Amino acid sequence: MQIRTFQLSDYRSVSELLKVALSEECCEETMSALSRQLSWDSELVLVALKNDELAGIMIGTIDHSKGYVYRVAVHPDLRRQGVGRSLVTAMNARFRQRNVLKVFVAADKHNEMLLPFYQSLSDEMLDLVTPQRPLSIVAG
């Protein structure tokens, strides 16, 4: 599996992946957040490739020296194969390069079904946080 920074040529594949991996509402919100994050800091948008096919995507952001996992999406056919864990590990490495030592996952309504996944990653430095206001992608 290869993890790398999002490239413009990934856009169509990412859009298709998000449509099959997320609810319609979550997909729309994620596409909007993806566009904003790409305009501010594309290094925090990672894709996972398996056999040269898009397997997953993770969008992160940094706000006041805190790292946030905004969204992770893995193709339904490739779940439980380490794609999500690999994306989290790679994102944490990016955060550490930028001196971000605390990483949070917003426990929003779209991430609720992923709580067991995030909780299983306690060794990956993730903390769950329920934001007082919706987490939006912000300029780092």
Side-chain angles (χ1 to χ4, degrees):
M1 180 172 353
Q2 176 190 10
I3 306 292
R4 64 165 169 76
T5 302
F6 174 93
Q7 298 171 357
L8 188 55
S9 60
D10 297 322
Y11 188 83
R12 179 172 290 172
S13 297
V14 165
S15 177
E16 291 170 7
L17 171 82
L18 294 176
K19 287 177 185 173
V20 299
L22 305 174
S23 70
E24 185 176 340
E25 177 188 14
C26 184
C27 180
E28 289 176 18
E29 290 176 17
T30 302
M31 288 300 293
S32 178
L34 172 65
S35 296
R36 286 190 308 272
Q37 186 61 34
L38 289 173
S39 71
W40 290 319
D41 189 348
S42 63
E43 292 292 314
L44 295 177
V45 179
L46 301 178
V47 295
L49 302 171
K50 200 166 189 177
N51 301 323
D52 295 324
E53 296 291 325
L54 185 71
I57 181 170
M58 177 171 272
I59 303 170
T61 194
I62 296 173
D63 184 16
H64 304 314
S65 75
K66 292 178 186 158
Y68 290 91
V69 172
Y70 176 76
R71 189 77 65 230
V72 62
V74 174
H75 192 284
D77 296 340
L78 299 172
R79 291 180 181 156
R80 299 193 177 277
Q81 296 181 29
V83 176
R85 181 175 290 277
S86 296
L87 285 164
V88 169
T89 299
M91 185 64 73
N92 277 337
R94 301 261 169 123
F95 285 145
R96 282 191 303 274
Q97 289 171 346
R98 296 176 184 209
N99 299 317
V100 171
L101 300 177
K102 200 66 170 168
V103 180
F104 298 95
V105 176
D108 68 8
K109 67 181 180 179
H110 299 302
N111 280 330
E112 282 179 7
M113 72 176 138
L114 292 175
L115 290 180
F117 166 72
Y118 290 126
Q119 290 166 339
S120 76
L121 298 174
S122 61
D123 60 320
E124 301 287 341
M125 297 185 346
L126 291 175
D127 286 324
L128 298 171
V129 64
T130 303
Q132 293 179 328
R133 58 181 168 75
L135 176 64
S136 58
I137 299 294
V138 294

